[in-house]
mmCIF file of all heavy atoms in Angstrom:
data_model
loop_
_atom_site.group_PDB
_atom_site.id
_atom_site.type_symbol
_atom_site.label_atom_id
_atom_site.label_comp_id
_atom_site.label_asym_id
_atom_site.label_seq_id
_atom_site.Cartn_x
_atom_site.Cartn_y
_atom_site.Cartn_z
ATOM 1 N N PHE A 343 7.693 -1.664 10.915
ATOM 2 C CA PHE A 343 7.112 -2.446 12.006
ATOM 3 C C PHE A 343 7.265 -1.726 13.343
ATOM 4 O O PHE A 343 8.123 -0.853 13.518
ATOM 5 C CB PHE A 343 7.795 -3.817 12.096
ATOM 6 C CG PHE A 343 7.605 -4.653 10.864
ATOM 7 C CD1 PHE A 343 8.498 -4.570 9.809
ATOM 8 C CD2 PHE A 343 6.522 -5.514 10.751
ATOM 9 C CE1 PHE A 343 8.331 -5.328 8.666
ATOM 10 C CE2 PHE A 343 6.338 -6.279 9.614
ATOM 11 C CZ PHE A 343 7.244 -6.189 8.573
ATOM 12 N N ALA A 344 6.413 -2.120 14.263
ATOM 13 C CA ALA A 344 6.506 -1.671 15.647
ATOM 14 C C ALA A 344 6.397 -2.893 16.545
ATOM 15 O O ALA A 344 5.666 -3.843 16.237
ATOM 16 C CB ALA A 344 5.415 -0.658 15.984
ATOM 17 N N VAL A 345 7.139 -2.873 17.642
ATOM 18 C CA VAL A 345 7.123 -3.955 18.622
ATOM 19 C C VAL A 345 6.395 -3.463 19.861
ATOM 20 O O VAL A 345 6.697 -2.383 20.383
ATOM 21 C CB VAL A 345 8.555 -4.398 18.984
ATOM 22 C CG1 VAL A 345 8.519 -5.508 20.028
ATOM 23 C CG2 VAL A 345 9.291 -4.871 17.735
ATOM 24 N N ARG A 346 5.456 -4.264 20.334
ATOM 25 C CA ARG A 346 4.623 -3.874 21.474
ATOM 26 C C ARG A 346 5.119 -4.516 22.758
ATOM 27 O O ARG A 346 5.443 -5.700 22.783
ATOM 28 C CB ARG A 346 3.178 -4.295 21.226
ATOM 29 C CG ARG A 346 2.205 -3.869 22.315
ATOM 30 C CD ARG A 346 0.841 -4.455 22.068
ATOM 31 N NE ARG A 346 -0.184 -3.878 22.914
ATOM 32 C CZ ARG A 346 -1.435 -4.309 22.987
ATOM 33 N NH1 ARG A 346 -1.811 -5.347 22.255
ATOM 34 N NH2 ARG A 346 -2.307 -3.736 23.776
ATOM 35 N N ASP A 347 5.163 -3.722 23.815
ATOM 36 C CA ASP A 347 5.483 -4.208 25.153
ATOM 37 C C ASP A 347 4.487 -3.582 26.118
ATOM 38 O O ASP A 347 4.661 -2.446 26.559
ATOM 39 C CB ASP A 347 6.917 -3.828 25.528
ATOM 40 C CG ASP A 347 7.325 -4.375 26.892
ATOM 41 O OD1 ASP A 347 6.530 -5.130 27.495
ATOM 42 O OD2 ASP A 347 8.430 -4.038 27.366
ATOM 43 N N GLY A 348 3.410 -4.322 26.435
ATOM 44 C CA GLY A 348 2.329 -3.740 27.234
ATOM 45 C C GLY A 348 1.621 -2.679 26.427
ATOM 46 O O GLY A 348 1.096 -2.945 25.351
ATOM 47 N N ASN A 349 1.644 -1.416 26.907
ATOM 48 C CA ASN A 349 1.061 -0.334 26.119
ATOM 49 C C ASN A 349 2.140 0.537 25.484
ATOM 50 O O ASN A 349 1.851 1.587 24.911
ATOM 51 C CB ASN A 349 0.137 0.530 26.984
ATOM 52 C CG ASN A 349 0.898 1.422 27.942
ATOM 53 O OD1 ASN A 349 1.985 1.075 28.383
ATOM 54 N ND2 ASN A 349 0.314 2.559 28.291
ATOM 55 N N VAL A 350 3.397 0.110 25.580
ATOM 56 C CA VAL A 350 4.518 0.841 24.981
ATOM 57 C C VAL A 350 4.847 0.217 23.627
ATOM 58 O O VAL A 350 4.912 -1.003 23.486
ATOM 59 C CB VAL A 350 5.755 0.819 25.900
ATOM 60 C CG1 VAL A 350 6.937 1.503 25.227
ATOM 61 C CG2 VAL A 350 5.434 1.477 27.232
ATOM 62 N N LEU A 351 5.079 1.086 22.628
ATOM 63 C CA LEU A 351 5.366 0.628 21.275
ATOM 64 C C LEU A 351 6.700 1.193 20.827
ATOM 65 O O LEU A 351 6.943 2.405 20.914
ATOM 66 C CB LEU A 351 4.258 1.069 20.322
ATOM 67 C CG LEU A 351 2.903 0.440 20.689
ATOM 68 C CD1 LEU A 351 1.826 1.497 20.742
ATOM 69 C CD2 LEU A 351 2.548 -0.663 19.730
ATOM 70 N N ARG A 352 7.578 0.312 20.364
ATOM 71 C CA ARG A 352 8.874 0.706 19.841
ATOM 72 C C ARG A 352 8.775 0.684 18.318
ATOM 73 O O ARG A 352 8.717 -0.386 17.693
ATOM 74 C CB ARG A 352 9.973 -0.231 20.337
ATOM 75 C CG ARG A 352 10.046 -0.318 21.843
ATOM 76 C CD ARG A 352 11.321 -1.033 22.319
ATOM 77 N NE ARG A 352 11.480 -2.363 21.776
ATOM 78 C CZ ARG A 352 10.929 -3.453 22.301
ATOM 79 N NH1 ARG A 352 10.166 -3.345 23.383
ATOM 80 N NH2 ARG A 352 11.142 -4.632 21.774
ATOM 81 N N ILE A 353 8.768 1.874 17.713
ATOM 82 C CA ILE A 353 8.529 2.011 16.278
ATOM 83 C C ILE A 353 9.850 2.036 15.533
ATOM 84 O O ILE A 353 10.744 2.825 15.854
ATOM 85 C CB ILE A 353 7.739 3.305 15.979
ATOM 86 C CG1 ILE A 353 6.409 3.303 16.740
ATOM 87 C CG2 ILE A 353 7.507 3.453 14.488
ATOM 88 C CD1 ILE A 353 5.694 4.637 16.702
ATOM 89 N N VAL A 354 9.982 1.167 14.534
ATOM 90 C CA VAL A 354 11.162 1.124 13.674
ATOM 91 C C VAL A 354 10.768 1.693 12.320
ATOM 92 O O VAL A 354 9.981 1.092 11.585
ATOM 93 C CB VAL A 354 11.687 -0.312 13.520
ATOM 94 C CG1 VAL A 354 12.870 -0.347 12.556
ATOM 95 C CG2 VAL A 354 12.083 -0.887 14.868
#
Side-chain angles (χ1 to χ4, degrees):
F343 298 89
V345 179
R346 183 186 191 187
D347 183 5
N349 74 330
V350 176
L351 297 131
R352 303 191 303 275
I353 302 169
V354 177

